[in-house]
Short mmCIF file of all heavy atoms in Angstrom, two decimals:
data_model
loop_
_atom_site.label_atom_id
_atom_site.label_comp_id
_atom_site.label_asym_id
_atom_site.label_seq_id
_atom_site.Cartn_x
_atom_site.Cartn_y
_atom_site.Cartn_z
N HIS A 1 25.39 6.54 6.68
CA HIS A 1 25.01 7.79 7.31
C HIS A 1 23.64 7.49 8.00
O HIS A 1 22.86 6.93 7.34
CB HIS A 1 25.00 8.90 6.25
CG HIS A 1 26.31 9.30 5.73
ND1 HIS A 1 27.14 10.20 6.50
CD2 HIS A 1 27.02 8.87 4.66
CE1 HIS A 1 28.21 10.25 5.81
NE2 HIS A 1 28.19 9.59 4.65
N PHE A 2 23.47 8.07 9.16
CA PHE A 2 22.15 7.86 9.85
C PHE A 2 21.29 9.13 9.80
O PHE A 2 21.81 10.23 9.83
CB PHE A 2 22.48 7.47 11.33
CG PHE A 2 23.24 6.17 11.50
CD1 PHE A 2 24.63 6.12 11.53
CD2 PHE A 2 22.44 5.04 11.46
CE1 PHE A 2 25.27 4.89 11.65
CE2 PHE A 2 23.13 3.78 11.66
CZ PHE A 2 24.49 3.80 11.71
N LEU A 3 20.00 8.74 9.52
CA LEU A 3 19.02 9.90 9.62
C LEU A 3 18.94 10.29 11.13
O LEU A 3 19.08 9.62 11.97
CB LEU A 3 17.73 9.37 9.15
CG LEU A 3 17.65 9.03 7.65
CD1 LEU A 3 16.35 8.25 7.22
CD2 LEU A 3 17.88 10.15 6.77
N PRO A 4 18.33 11.57 11.33
CA PRO A 4 18.11 11.97 12.66
C PRO A 4 17.15 11.02 13.44
O PRO A 4 16.25 10.51 12.78
CB PRO A 4 17.58 13.44 12.53
CG PRO A 4 17.78 13.80 11.13
CD PRO A 4 18.04 12.54 10.27
N GLY A 5 17.04 11.00 14.63
CA GLY A 5 16.27 10.23 15.45
C GLY A 5 14.88 10.69 15.30
O GLY A 5 14.55 11.89 15.15
N TYR A 6 13.83 9.83 15.30
CA TYR A 6 12.41 10.15 15.20
C TYR A 6 12.12 11.00 13.99
O TYR A 6 11.40 12.01 14.07
CB TYR A 6 12.01 10.86 16.53
CG TYR A 6 12.31 10.05 17.69
CD1 TYR A 6 13.27 10.44 18.65
CD2 TYR A 6 11.53 8.91 18.00
CE1 TYR A 6 13.49 9.61 19.70
CE2 TYR A 6 11.74 8.13 19.10
CZ TYR A 6 12.73 8.55 19.97
OH TYR A 6 12.99 7.76 21.03
N ALA A 7 12.63 10.63 12.83
CA ALA A 7 12.43 11.36 11.62
C ALA A 7 12.03 10.44 10.42
O ALA A 7 12.80 10.30 9.40
CB ALA A 7 13.66 12.19 11.18
N PRO A 8 11.00 9.66 10.64
CA PRO A 8 10.56 8.65 9.60
C PRO A 8 10.21 9.44 8.32
O PRO A 8 10.19 8.82 7.27
CB PRO A 8 9.41 7.89 10.24
CG PRO A 8 8.85 8.78 11.25
CD PRO A 8 10.13 9.57 11.75
N GLU A 9 9.83 10.70 8.39
CA GLU A 9 9.35 11.50 7.20
C GLU A 9 10.62 11.71 6.28
O GLU A 9 10.33 12.19 5.13
CB GLU A 9 8.75 12.74 7.66
CG GLU A 9 9.74 13.76 8.20
CD GLU A 9 9.97 13.63 9.74
OE1 GLU A 9 9.41 12.75 10.32
OE2 GLU A 9 10.75 14.46 10.25
N LEU A 10 11.84 11.51 6.71
CA LEU A 10 12.96 11.59 5.81
C LEU A 10 13.35 10.32 5.17
O LEU A 10 14.34 10.37 4.29
CB LEU A 10 14.17 12.13 6.65
CG LEU A 10 14.00 13.51 7.27
CD1 LEU A 10 15.23 13.89 8.15
CD2 LEU A 10 13.81 14.61 6.14
N ASN A 11 12.81 9.12 5.58
CA ASN A 11 13.14 7.83 5.10
C ASN A 11 12.29 7.46 3.99
O ASN A 11 11.08 7.05 4.24
CB ASN A 11 13.12 6.92 6.32
CG ASN A 11 13.71 5.57 5.99
OD1 ASN A 11 13.94 5.18 4.83
ND2 ASN A 11 13.93 4.80 6.98
N PRO A 12 12.67 7.31 2.76
CA PRO A 12 11.77 6.87 1.65
C PRO A 12 11.34 5.50 1.85
O PRO A 12 10.16 5.10 1.39
CB PRO A 12 12.69 6.95 0.37
CG PRO A 12 14.06 7.07 0.93
CD PRO A 12 13.96 7.57 2.23
N VAL A 13 12.01 4.57 2.56
CA VAL A 13 11.49 3.21 2.77
C VAL A 13 10.33 3.20 3.70
O VAL A 13 9.40 2.36 3.51
CB VAL A 13 12.63 2.35 3.34
CG1 VAL A 13 12.17 0.94 3.66
CG2 VAL A 13 13.81 2.23 2.32
N GLU A 14 10.23 4.12 4.56
CA GLU A 14 8.97 4.26 5.42
C GLU A 14 7.78 4.51 4.56
O GLU A 14 6.70 4.03 4.87
CB GLU A 14 9.20 5.34 6.42
CG GLU A 14 10.19 5.08 7.56
CD GLU A 14 9.78 3.89 8.49
OE1 GLU A 14 8.57 3.59 8.57
OE2 GLU A 14 10.65 3.31 9.03
N PHE A 15 7.91 5.34 3.47
CA PHE A 15 6.74 5.64 2.62
C PHE A 15 6.40 4.33 1.77
O PHE A 15 5.22 4.16 1.50
CB PHE A 15 7.00 6.81 1.75
CG PHE A 15 7.12 8.12 2.54
CD1 PHE A 15 8.33 8.70 2.74
CD2 PHE A 15 6.06 8.72 3.03
CE1 PHE A 15 8.42 9.82 3.44
CE2 PHE A 15 6.07 9.78 3.80
CZ PHE A 15 7.36 10.38 3.90
N LEU A 16 7.44 3.56 1.51
CA LEU A 16 7.12 2.28 0.87
C LEU A 16 6.28 1.32 1.72
O LEU A 16 5.45 0.75 1.37
CB LEU A 16 8.49 1.56 0.41
CG LEU A 16 8.38 0.23 -0.21
CD1 LEU A 16 7.70 0.27 -1.55
CD2 LEU A 16 9.74 -0.54 -0.32
N TRP A 17 6.70 1.22 3.00
CA TRP A 17 5.94 0.42 3.99
C TRP A 17 4.48 0.94 4.09
O TRP A 17 3.61 0.24 4.21
CB TRP A 17 6.67 0.43 5.39
CG TRP A 17 8.05 -0.15 5.49
CD1 TRP A 17 8.94 0.21 6.38
CD2 TRP A 17 8.60 -1.08 4.65
NE1 TRP A 17 10.08 -0.43 6.23
CE2 TRP A 17 9.91 -1.25 5.03
CE3 TRP A 17 8.34 -1.79 3.51
CZ2 TRP A 17 10.76 -2.19 4.52
CZ3 TRP A 17 9.12 -2.71 2.92
CH2 TRP A 17 10.33 -2.95 3.34
N GLY A 18 4.31 2.33 4.10
CA GLY A 18 3.05 2.87 4.19
C GLY A 18 2.21 2.46 2.92
O GLY A 18 0.99 2.10 2.98
N TRP A 19 2.80 2.51 1.68
CA TRP A 19 2.14 2.10 0.58
C TRP A 19 1.70 0.63 0.63
O TRP A 19 0.50 0.30 0.23
CB TRP A 19 3.01 2.35 -0.69
CG TRP A 19 2.46 1.71 -1.94
CD1 TRP A 19 1.46 2.22 -2.81
CD2 TRP A 19 2.79 0.40 -2.46
NE1 TRP A 19 1.16 1.35 -3.76
CE2 TRP A 19 2.02 0.20 -3.59
CE3 TRP A 19 3.70 -0.58 -2.16
CZ2 TRP A 19 2.06 -0.95 -4.34
CZ3 TRP A 19 3.79 -1.74 -2.88
CH2 TRP A 19 2.96 -1.85 -3.98
N LEU A 20 2.69 -0.20 1.08
CA LEU A 20 2.39 -1.61 1.21
C LEU A 20 1.23 -1.93 2.24
O LEU A 20 0.39 -2.69 1.79
CB LEU A 20 3.74 -2.33 1.75
CG LEU A 20 3.67 -3.87 1.81
CD1 LEU A 20 3.50 -4.44 0.40
CD2 LEU A 20 4.80 -4.42 2.50
N LYS A 21 1.28 -1.28 3.36
CA LYS A 21 0.25 -1.57 4.30
C LYS A 21 -1.14 -0.97 3.97
O LYS A 21 -2.16 -1.59 4.16
CB LYS A 21 0.69 -1.06 5.58
CG LYS A 21 1.87 -1.78 6.22
CD LYS A 21 2.24 -1.05 7.47
CE LYS A 21 3.46 -1.68 8.14
NZ LYS A 21 3.94 -0.94 9.28
N ARG A 22 -1.12 0.26 3.48
CA ARG A 22 -2.35 0.95 3.24
C ARG A 22 -3.04 0.84 1.94
O ARG A 22 -4.18 1.10 1.70
CB ARG A 22 -2.17 2.54 3.50
CG ARG A 22 -1.91 2.73 4.95
CD ARG A 22 -1.68 4.25 5.18
NE ARG A 22 -1.19 4.37 6.56
CZ ARG A 22 0.09 4.37 7.04
NH1 ARG A 22 1.01 4.12 6.03
NH2 ARG A 22 0.42 4.56 8.30
N HIS A 23 -2.20 0.38 0.92
CA HIS A 23 -2.80 0.19 -0.37
C HIS A 23 -2.58 -1.20 -0.97
O HIS A 23 -3.55 -1.92 -1.29
CB HIS A 23 -2.15 1.14 -1.33
CG HIS A 23 -2.21 2.55 -1.11
ND1 HIS A 23 -3.45 3.17 -1.36
CD2 HIS A 23 -1.58 3.42 -0.36
CE1 HIS A 23 -3.41 4.53 -0.88
NE2 HIS A 23 -2.27 4.65 -0.23
N ALA A 24 -1.38 -1.69 -1.05
CA ALA A 24 -1.18 -3.04 -1.68
C ALA A 24 -1.74 -4.17 -0.75
O ALA A 24 -2.30 -5.14 -1.33
CB ALA A 24 0.34 -3.28 -1.80
N LEU A 25 -1.67 -4.06 0.47
CA LEU A 25 -2.18 -5.12 1.38
C LEU A 25 -3.39 -4.78 2.16
O LEU A 25 -3.75 -5.44 3.09
CB LEU A 25 -1.15 -5.68 2.38
CG LEU A 25 0.12 -6.27 1.78
CD1 LEU A 25 1.00 -6.61 2.84
CD2 LEU A 25 -0.24 -7.55 0.94
N ALA A 26 -4.01 -3.62 1.81
CA ALA A 26 -5.26 -3.17 2.59
C ALA A 26 -6.35 -4.16 2.33
O ALA A 26 -6.56 -4.78 1.23
CB ALA A 26 -5.68 -1.77 1.96
N ASN A 27 -7.02 -4.50 3.42
CA ASN A 27 -8.08 -5.46 3.42
C ASN A 27 -7.64 -6.90 3.06
O ASN A 27 -8.62 -7.75 2.77
CB ASN A 27 -9.30 -5.02 2.62
CG ASN A 27 -9.85 -3.63 3.04
OD1 ASN A 27 -9.98 -3.42 4.23
ND2 ASN A 27 -10.22 -2.87 2.04
N PHE A 28 -6.45 -7.20 3.12
CA PHE A 28 -6.00 -8.53 2.89
C PHE A 28 -5.93 -9.31 4.21
O PHE A 28 -5.25 -8.80 5.11
CB PHE A 28 -4.55 -8.50 2.25
CG PHE A 28 -3.92 -9.86 2.04
CD1 PHE A 28 -4.56 -10.80 1.18
CD2 PHE A 28 -2.86 -10.23 2.68
CE1 PHE A 28 -3.99 -12.00 0.97
CE2 PHE A 28 -2.23 -11.43 2.57
CZ PHE A 28 -2.87 -12.30 1.75
N CYS A 29 -6.48 -10.40 4.17
CA CYS A 29 -6.69 -11.22 5.44
C CYS A 29 -6.22 -12.69 5.11
O CYS A 29 -7.08 -13.45 4.77
CB CYS A 29 -8.12 -11.14 5.98
SG CYS A 29 -8.29 -11.92 7.55
N PRO A 30 -4.96 -12.90 5.12
CA PRO A 30 -4.48 -14.23 4.83
C PRO A 30 -4.84 -15.34 5.77
O PRO A 30 -5.06 -15.09 7.05
CB PRO A 30 -2.93 -14.11 4.72
CG PRO A 30 -2.70 -12.98 5.75
CD PRO A 30 -3.86 -12.03 5.64
N ASP A 31 -5.09 -16.54 5.40
CA ASP A 31 -5.29 -17.64 6.22
C ASP A 31 -4.09 -18.26 6.82
O ASP A 31 -4.05 -18.78 7.96
CB ASP A 31 -6.00 -18.75 5.41
CG ASP A 31 -7.37 -18.33 4.98
OD1 ASP A 31 -8.01 -17.62 5.78
OD2 ASP A 31 -7.86 -18.62 3.90
N THR A 32 -2.97 -18.21 6.18
CA THR A 32 -1.70 -18.72 6.72
C THR A 32 -0.55 -17.72 6.62
O THR A 32 -0.65 -16.78 5.88
CB THR A 32 -1.33 -20.00 5.98
OG1 THR A 32 -0.93 -19.64 4.60
CG2 THR A 32 -2.46 -21.04 5.92
N PHE A 33 0.57 -18.04 7.33
CA PHE A 33 1.66 -17.22 7.32
C PHE A 33 2.31 -17.25 5.86
O PHE A 33 2.83 -16.24 5.35
CB PHE A 33 2.71 -17.58 8.40
CG PHE A 33 3.94 -16.76 8.56
CD1 PHE A 33 3.64 -15.47 9.07
CD2 PHE A 33 5.14 -17.15 8.22
CE1 PHE A 33 4.73 -14.60 9.29
CE2 PHE A 33 6.25 -16.23 8.37
CZ PHE A 33 6.00 -14.98 8.88
N GLY A 34 2.23 -18.40 5.27
CA GLY A 34 2.71 -18.52 4.01
C GLY A 34 2.07 -17.64 3.01
O GLY A 34 2.64 -17.08 2.02
N ASP A 35 0.68 -17.57 3.10
CA ASP A 35 -0.04 -16.69 2.25
C ASP A 35 0.39 -15.24 2.42
O ASP A 35 0.48 -14.47 1.42
CB ASP A 35 -1.50 -16.76 2.57
CG ASP A 35 -2.12 -18.06 2.15
OD1 ASP A 35 -1.60 -18.75 1.37
OD2 ASP A 35 -3.38 -18.34 2.56
N LEU A 36 0.65 -14.85 3.65
CA LEU A 36 1.08 -13.40 3.91
C LEU A 36 2.45 -13.26 3.18
O LEU A 36 2.71 -12.23 2.57
CB LEU A 36 1.23 -13.27 5.44
CG LEU A 36 1.78 -11.90 5.86
CD1 LEU A 36 0.78 -10.75 5.45
CD2 LEU A 36 1.86 -11.82 7.31
N GLN A 37 3.39 -14.14 3.39
CA GLN A 37 4.73 -14.05 2.78
C GLN A 37 4.61 -13.98 1.28
O GLN A 37 5.26 -13.03 0.57
CB GLN A 37 5.64 -15.21 3.13
CG GLN A 37 6.02 -15.10 4.55
CD GLN A 37 7.03 -16.27 4.87
OE1 GLN A 37 6.67 -17.48 4.55
NE2 GLN A 37 8.14 -16.01 5.53
N TYR A 38 3.89 -14.77 0.68
CA TYR A 38 3.75 -14.91 -0.83
C TYR A 38 3.12 -13.57 -1.36
O TYR A 38 3.64 -13.06 -2.38
CB TYR A 38 2.87 -16.18 -1.16
CG TYR A 38 2.64 -16.33 -2.67
CD1 TYR A 38 3.63 -16.86 -3.47
CD2 TYR A 38 1.44 -15.84 -3.28
CE1 TYR A 38 3.40 -17.00 -4.82
CE2 TYR A 38 1.21 -16.06 -4.61
CZ TYR A 38 2.25 -16.66 -5.40
OH TYR A 38 2.14 -16.68 -6.81
N THR A 39 2.07 -13.16 -0.68
CA THR A 39 1.40 -11.96 -1.22
C THR A 39 2.21 -10.72 -1.00
O THR A 39 2.39 -9.87 -1.96
CB THR A 39 0.00 -11.78 -0.54
OG1 THR A 39 -0.79 -12.92 -0.82
CG2 THR A 39 -0.68 -10.54 -1.02
N THR A 40 2.87 -10.61 0.15
CA THR A 40 3.83 -9.52 0.34
C THR A 40 4.98 -9.47 -0.59
O THR A 40 5.29 -8.31 -1.17
CB THR A 40 4.37 -9.58 1.84
OG1 THR A 40 3.26 -9.62 2.71
CG2 THR A 40 5.25 -8.40 2.13
N ARG A 41 5.58 -10.52 -0.81
CA ARG A 41 6.67 -10.67 -1.91
C ARG A 41 6.23 -10.25 -3.18
O ARG A 41 6.80 -9.48 -3.96
CB ARG A 41 7.28 -12.03 -1.88
CG ARG A 41 8.43 -12.21 -2.85
CD ARG A 41 9.04 -13.67 -2.83
NE ARG A 41 9.38 -14.05 -1.56
CZ ARG A 41 10.42 -13.80 -0.75
NH1 ARG A 41 11.25 -12.89 -1.22
NH2 ARG A 41 10.64 -14.21 0.50
N GLY A 42 4.99 -10.64 -3.61
CA GLY A 42 4.46 -10.38 -4.90
C GLY A 42 4.11 -8.85 -4.97
O GLY A 42 4.42 -8.19 -6.10
N LYS A 43 3.57 -8.24 -4.00
CA LYS A 43 3.34 -6.79 -4.03
C LYS A 43 4.62 -5.99 -4.12
O LYS A 43 4.66 -4.99 -4.74
CB LYS A 43 2.56 -6.49 -2.78
CG LYS A 43 1.11 -7.05 -2.75
CD LYS A 43 0.25 -6.56 -3.88
CE LYS A 43 -1.11 -7.13 -3.81
NZ LYS A 43 -2.03 -6.76 -4.82
N LEU A 44 5.66 -6.39 -3.38
CA LEU A 44 6.85 -5.71 -3.42
C LEU A 44 7.58 -5.94 -4.78
O LEU A 44 8.20 -4.90 -5.23
CB LEU A 44 7.81 -6.15 -2.27
CG LEU A 44 7.36 -5.59 -0.88
CD1 LEU A 44 8.20 -6.22 0.18
CD2 LEU A 44 7.54 -4.12 -0.81
N LYS A 45 7.46 -7.05 -5.37
CA LYS A 45 8.10 -7.20 -6.72
C LYS A 45 7.34 -6.29 -7.71
O LYS A 45 7.87 -5.82 -8.59
CB LYS A 45 7.96 -8.67 -7.03
CG LYS A 45 9.00 -9.57 -6.40
CD LYS A 45 9.08 -10.85 -6.96
CE LYS A 45 10.15 -11.71 -6.38
NZ LYS A 45 10.24 -13.09 -6.89
N SER A 46 5.98 -6.16 -7.50
CA SER A 46 5.29 -5.28 -8.33
C SER A 46 5.76 -3.85 -8.14
O SER A 46 5.85 -3.10 -9.21
CB SER A 46 3.86 -5.37 -7.90
OG SER A 46 2.96 -4.41 -8.50
N ALA A 47 6.05 -3.46 -6.91
CA ALA A 47 6.57 -2.10 -6.67
C ALA A 47 7.92 -1.92 -7.36
O ALA A 47 8.15 -0.78 -7.84
CB ALA A 47 6.63 -1.85 -5.24
#
């Protein structure tokens, strides 16, 4: 079933992405792509 177009406010995963970007990874500045992957995976496992 598809959500209406242009309705991210109905998608709970969009709020997860918001939490990840604005809280879990806020001010995180990785040196390598591997660091980014590792930290992102860890934060999502925490969630």
Side-chain angles (χ1 to χ4, degrees):
H1 291 280
F2 293 94
L3 295 170
Y6 304 109
E9 69 276 2
L10 297 176
N11 190 347
V13 175
E14 291 293 335
F15 293 105
L16 176 68
W17 298 153
W19 170 83
L20 182 68
K21 293 176 187 176
R22 291 178 190 89
H23 298 282
L25 295 177
N27 297 322
F28 175 63
C29 188
D31 290 323
T32 65
F33 189 67
D35 289 345
L36 178 64
Q37 285 181 315
Y38 180 80
T39 303
T40 302
R41 184 178 306 281
K43 296 296 184 180
L44 286 171
K45 284 184 177 184
S46 169

